[in-house]
Amino acid sequence: MGLINTLLGIPLGYVMYLCYSLIGNYGLAIIVFTLFTKFILFPLSIWVQKNSIKMIRIQPELNQISAKYVGRRDKISEEHLACYKREHYKPLLSIVPMLIQVVLVLGLIGVMYNPLQHILHIDSSIIDAFGNVAKGLLGVDELGASGQLKILELIHNPQHAASFAAVQLPGHDIGAALTSIGSFNTSFLGMDLTATPVLNGFSLLAMLPLISGFSAFLMCFFQNRINVLQREQGWLGKWGMAIFMTAFSTYFTFLVPAGVGLYWIFGNLFSILVMYAVNWLFKPAKYIDYAALEQSKKALAESKAIERTLKMSKEQKLKAKTDYKRFFADPARKELVFYAEKSGFYKYFRAVIDYVLTHSDVVIHYVTSDYNDAIFKADNPRIVPYYIKDNHLIPLFMKLECKVMVMTTPDLQNFHLKRSFIDKKIEYIYMFHGLASTHMAVRKGAYDHFDTVFCVGQHQIDELRESEQLYDRKAKKLVPVGYGMFDEMLADYQAIQDRHNEPPQILIAPSYQDDNIMDCCIEPMLDALVGARKYKVILRPHPQYIKHNPGKIEKFALEHKELLGDFFVIESDFSSNESIFASDLLITDWSGIAYEFSYTTKRPSLFVNTPPKIINPDYDKQTCQPLDITLRDQVGVSIAPDDVGPICQNVDALLADKDAYRDKIEALVERYVFHIGHSGEVGGQYILDQLSGADKK
């Protein structure tokens, strides 16, 4: 309390001294002091009100972000923070008044416990002398934090007044000090404001904590009705806080002198007036679109329903825990570990895994974060699958011991997935799950902490080497491997008989990024293509788009029900590539499916230039232009979203020139894809070579 008394008690003591000097009544002085603090802090209350209005004004956008990226907490946090930064919203500002209130209460407690110093301005030497007298009268060695209150009580007792009057302190007027203390009336409405409330009967002092609790409840009641932030809280947020504040205020007032309780009660009551005042000055309805807010709440509710389906069940939690223990049950260092985020990621590893299984006796430990991963149905005893997610995944990575770790997840070490703290000799290998570039659609430094990267084509080697030099990063092993999934698609496509479509089949495959075809121009596109009645149009939204926007997809299908038939189909089954292989033309925005389609079928793609997905804003510092941009007008043509009205002209031109595109695309494939048809062999053999030499290394 000494430090608090020095830092807070002295300045607040002077304010209380001024209030008491002007009024002459201790209780009224406390009330005026409370009003004064509210007046001084009123500009802060206005600032908080503006900040709160700002928060609710952007709440529709925040709700839409949460609905859009349901289940992706890192992405939601990232987008929310970007929104806060853009709007200059300060999330922590709303708790500043409470923090200041705590500071004021702590300071005021120091004032209340030391009235001789702060309110009566008795010289410290006299207080010390009186303290020695009080110790003798009470038979104690120390008076404690309430020493000045005990001195005050003893001096007010006529039996002990003579003991204090006998104090001899040269140069100090003991009589004047005693007169000042004797005339200091701490009574207010029959309460001794220096006393601590005790339940010892029906008196105002005994009831003061209950009154304090009621004042807190009253403040919360009005806060729930008029505070711009609190109005948007759920039942638990509103009344949970009310219950807590009521209980806390009641309990707190039992612990401190009644004067502090009086301050707390009137602080709560004056806070109600402050809330009404700031709401009158800055009316929330003037700045907030409540209709948009309600609409966003519906979208958020839909996403919450989806999120509940994504949460781990008891069975999933038990399996994650069991598999985590099973992974570390064998103390021997593992040879080869693969990590997949989802079930569908096995297709990126398949060619390499098949080669390893065929050409060695290596046991593959396959870690997946998908409870329903198809890997659990694999019947090969040399693939040992584990379901590891959430709180088990991070320690697994940190405690990992193996020779080689293969993954398609970038940003190793940059976020929650770290390199092993235990085994520093692990070789971490990154495998791409796309044919495009490395420096625009991923974060800067996404591959910096991998030892080895299996590159699809020479463009990726050039880009990664330039990035290493540009940012002075350690050189990685860049292995020219190729792309296993493309090899499989190519083999599957060559195994089927090429067919002639009548009418021509057009596949629309939007990405799931912001402002994709589904969100910006699907209506005029369908009007043109389906309305022409000369194409079979298949709309294949990205699986992530369907996952995060189920309500929107259902509504879209319902609104276009009359279009469905021979000329229009909505495809939501992604287990087959038949629609990709069989289509004469693909239309997309920035989805990598365009290169898989064109590279495989040697047919052109039509690109809609929606805003590109730029995760690394510094990508243009590299001289290598991303293939995502370069190839758009080489494997087809690109148009603006506003130009989809006459899209049939572009479609007809590309269909007419598809033979000319065949040779052109064939040359691009040869240029940008390594080891076509043999990537599994190259990648698998590299891993086997590393495993055989890992101990020596």
Side-chain angles (χ1 to χ4, degrees):
M1 287 294 291
L3 181 62
I4 294 176
N5 185 42
T6 301
L7 297 179
L8 302 177
I10 292 176
L12 292 180
Y14 274 100
V15 177
M16 181 63 76
Y17 169 74
L18 178 63
C19 294
Y20 180 74
S21 299
L22 293 174
I23 299 171
N25 182 287
Y26 192 33
L28 291 179
I30 293 174
I31 295 173
V32 171
F33 172 84
T34 309
L35 182 63
F36 174 78
T37 59
K38 294 298 180 184
F39 178 78
I40 293 297
L41 296 177
F42 190 69
L44 176 62
S45 300
I46 293 177
W47 189 25
V48 171
Q49 175 76 353
K50 290 180 179 179
N51 194 62
S52 300
I53 289 174
K54 196 177 295 182
M55 173 61 189
I56 302 304
R57 192 179 71 239
I58 63 176
Q59 192 63 52
E61 182 178 354
L62 299 178
N63 288 345
Q64 295 293 352
I65 289 172
S66 299
K68 181 175 182 178
Y69 299 110
V70 60
R72 301 169 61 189
R73 296 186 179 181
D74 290 345
K75 181 64 174 176
I76 290 173
S77 297
E78 181 182 329
E79 294 293 325
H80 280 192
L81 288 174
C83 189
Y84 294 158
K85 186 176 180 180
R86 187 193 70 223
E87 298 295 330
H88 305 291
Y89 169 69
K90 308 294 188 300
L92 299 179
L93 184 59
S94 59
I95 68 171
V96 172
M98 179 59 71
L99 294 177
I100 293 178
Q101 178 80 325
V102 171
V103 170
L104 287 174
V105 169
L106 291 176
L108 188 63
I109 289 175
V111 173
M112 296 294 182
Y113 273 112
N114 299 279
L116 306 186
Q117 173 190 354
H118 294 301
I119 300 175
L120 300 180
H121 283 195
I122 305 297
D123 187 271
S124 60
S125 299
I126 298 178
I127 296 175
D128 292 340
F130 286 170
N132 291 329
V133 174
K135 291 175 190 177
L137 293 174
L138 297 173
V140 296
D141 294 329
E142 294 292 337
L143 294 177
S146 59
Q148 293 190 24
L149 296 181
K150 293 175 182 177
I151 294 172
L152 187 67
E153 181 182 359
L154 291 172
I155 291 177
H156 281 184
N157 187 334
Q159 296 179 2
H160 304 300
S163 299
F164 289 95
V167 171
Q168 298 292 322
L169 198 62
H172 294 82
D173 191 346
I174 300 299
L178 289 173
T179 301
S180 177
I181 295 173
S183 62
F184 181 49
N185 186 4
T186 60
S187 177
F188 182 71
L189 298 179
M191 296 183 294
D192 182 1
L193 296 181
T194 65
T196 301
V198 180
L199 285 175
N200 58 354
F202 189 82
S203 66
L204 187 58
L205 179 62
M207 297 297 292
L208 194 67
L210 300 180
I211 298 172
S212 176
F214 178 73
S215 72
F217 176 82
L218 202 62
M219 180 190 70
C220 292
F221 174 80
F222 284 103
Q223 192 175 48
N224 290 340
R225 292 174 60 89
I226 65 175
N227 181 270
V228 63
L229 277 180
Q230 196 67 11
R231 283 176 55 185
E232 302 304 323
Q233 296 294 317
W235 188 93
L236 184 61
K238 290 180 177 179
W239 298 109
M241 177 58 71
I243 293 171
F244 169 77
M245 287 301 298
T246 300
F248 173 78
S249 297
T250 303
Y251 175 73
F252 173 72
T253 311
F254 272 117
L255 304 177
V256 293
V260 179
L262 186 67
Y263 165 82
W264 193 262
I265 291 170
F266 278 90
N268 290 332
L269 298 178
F270 289 149
S271 292
I272 298 173
L273 299 179
V274 170
M275 281 189 283
Y276 273 102
V278 295
N279 270 271
W280 178 76
L281 288 172
F282 296 95
K283 298 177 177 61
K286 185 178 178 181
Y287 304 94
I288 299 170
D289 186 346
Y290 280 102
L293 180 60
E294 291 304 314
Q295 186 176 1
S296 72
K297 287 180 181 178
K298 294 179 181 178
L300 184 60
E302 291 180 358
S303 73
K304 291 294 184 184
I306 298 172
E307 190 172 27
R308 283 192 290 272
T309 66
L310 299 177
K311 287 184 176 180
M312 296 173 68
S313 64
K314 290 183 179 179
E315 293 78 11
Q316 290 173 324
K317 291 179 180 179
L318 178 60
K319 181 170 177 56
K321 184 178 180 179
T322 303
D323 282 8
Y324 177 79
K325 291 182 178 179
R326 182 165 57 88
F327 186 89
F328 290 105
D330 184 356
R333 187 170 182 243
K334 296 173 173 60
E335 287 193 291
L336 180 57
V337 177
F338 281 77
Y339 169 65
E341 297 176 65
K342 299 175 185 177
S343 177
F345 280 47
Y346 182 79
K347 61 190 175 187
Y348 304 120
F349 302 130
R350 184 185 290 116
V352 169
I353 288 178
D354 287 349
Y355 183 88
V356 171
L357 293 174
T358 304
H359 294 82
S360 74
D361 58 357
V362 171
V363 174
I364 295 174
H365 298 268
Y366 194 96
V367 177
T368 175
S369 293
D370 189 340
Y371 180 75
N372 298 310
D373 199 310
I375 196 67
F376 293 110
K377 299 178 182 178
D379 57 1
N380 193 315
R382 284 169 50 215
I383 299 180
V384 184
Y386 308 84
Y387 171 60
I388 310 291
K389 194 172 183 180
D390 293 348
N391 59 326
H392 293 101
L393 186 61
I394 295 174
L396 182 140
F397 266 75
M398 295 172 66
K399 295 166 57 179
L400 182 65
E401 291 184 83
C402 67
K403 293 181 180 179
V404 174
M405 166 63 136
V406 186
M407 54 197 292
T408 64
T409 307
D411 287 304
L412 177 68
Q413 195 70 20
N414 293 335
F415 295 102
H416 61 296
L417 298 182
K418 307 292 186 182
R419 292 178 65 103
S420 175
F421 283 18
I422 306 298
D423 191 345
K424 302 299 184 181
K425 295 188 293 183
I426 298 174
E427 179 174 356
Y428 288 87
I429 299 177
Y430 180 80
M431 290 183 65
F432 287 98
H433 46 83
L435 290 155
S437 287
T438 65
H439 57 304
M440 184 174 79
V442 295
R443 294 178 180 87
K444 183 169 63 178
Y447 314 110
D448 284 353
H449 298 284
F450 288 93
D451 303 291
T452 305
V453 177
F454 282 1
C455 296
V456 171
Q458 185 62 42
H459 62 288
Q460 293 182 342
I461 292 180
D462 295 340
E463 292 162 359
L464 290 171
R465 286 290 181 239
E466 184 181 13
S467 176
E468 289 170 350
Q469 294 175 5
L470 181 63
Y471 298 109
D472 192 24
R473 299 291 188 259
K474 180 181 178 181
K476 296 172 284 294
K477 290 183 184 177
L478 303 182
V479 184
V481 172
Y483 190 41
M485 198 178 79
F486 170 62
D487 292 346
E488 292 183 12
M489 292 181 68
L490 195 60
D492 292 342
Y493 179 69
Q494 291 172 347
I496 66 174
Q497 185 176 0
D498 195 8
R499 70 186 187 190
H500 176 72
N501 295 313
E502 192 57 48
Q505 181 169 296
I506 312 299
L507 177 63
I508 304 175
S511 66
Y512 71 97
Q513 65 197 59
D514 294 341
D515 299 318
N516 61 73
I517 288 174
M518 288 295 294
D519 293 335
C520 75
C521 59
I522 190 63
E523 298 294 345
M525 184 181 293
L526 291 180
D527 289 344
L529 294 173
V530 181
R533 312 292 286 182
K534 60 179 182 178
Y535 318 107
K536 179 180 180 180
V537 179
I538 299 177
L539 175 63
R540 182 177 167 130
H542 196 285
Q544 291 294 327
Y545 188 88
I546 293 177
K547 176 182 176 181
H548 297 301
N549 301 278
K552 186 181 292 187
I553 291 295
E554 290 178 10
K555 182 180 178 182
F556 179 87
L558 186 63
E559 291 176 347
H560 296 80
K561 185 177 180 180
E562 71 283 355
L563 291 179
L564 298 174
D566 294 337
F567 294 97
F568 181 51
V569 175
I570 299 177
E571 184 177 281
S572 57
D573 181 5
F574 305 100
S575 61
S576 171
N577 288 324
E578 182 180 352
S579 62
I580 299 176
F581 294 155
S583 295
D584 296 285
L585 179 71
L586 180 133
I587 301 174
T588 187
D589 35 52
W590 293 91
S591 175
I593 195 175
Y595 305 107
E596 294 169 4
F597 166 80
S598 291
Y599 281 14
T600 302
T601 67
K602 308 304 183 291
R603 294 169 181 165
S605 295
L606 192 156
F607 299 91
V608 180
N609 290 332
T610 59
K613 184 178 182 179
I614 300 176
I615 297 180
N616 175 17
D618 295 332
Y619 79 93
D620 54 359
K621 290 183 178 179
Q622 295 189 219
T623 59
C624 303
Q625 187 181 54
L627 285 193
D628 316 57
I629 299 173
T630 304
L631 294 185
R632 291 172 80 80
D633 291 317
Q634 295 187 44
V635 300
V637 297
S638 55
I639 62 174
D642 294 339
D643 295 334
V644 299
I647 196 173
C648 292
Q649 299 175 17
N650 303 102
V651 170
D652 291 340
L654 288 171
L655 291 175
D657 293 341
K658 65 179 182 180
D659 291 337
Y661 274 100
R662 177 174 293 277
D663 293 338
K664 187 177 182 179
I665 295 173
E666 186 74 55
L668 291 173
V669 173
E670 293 290 338
R671 179 180 177 185
Y672 292 114
V673 183
F674 290 127
H675 304 296
I676 298 171
H678 301 281
S679 65
E681 174 185 347
V682 177
Q685 189 58 52
Y686 174 87
I687 290 175
L688 292 179
D689 290 343
Q690 295 306 105
L691 292 178
S692 63
D695 289 328
K696 295 178 181 178
K697 182 180 69 174

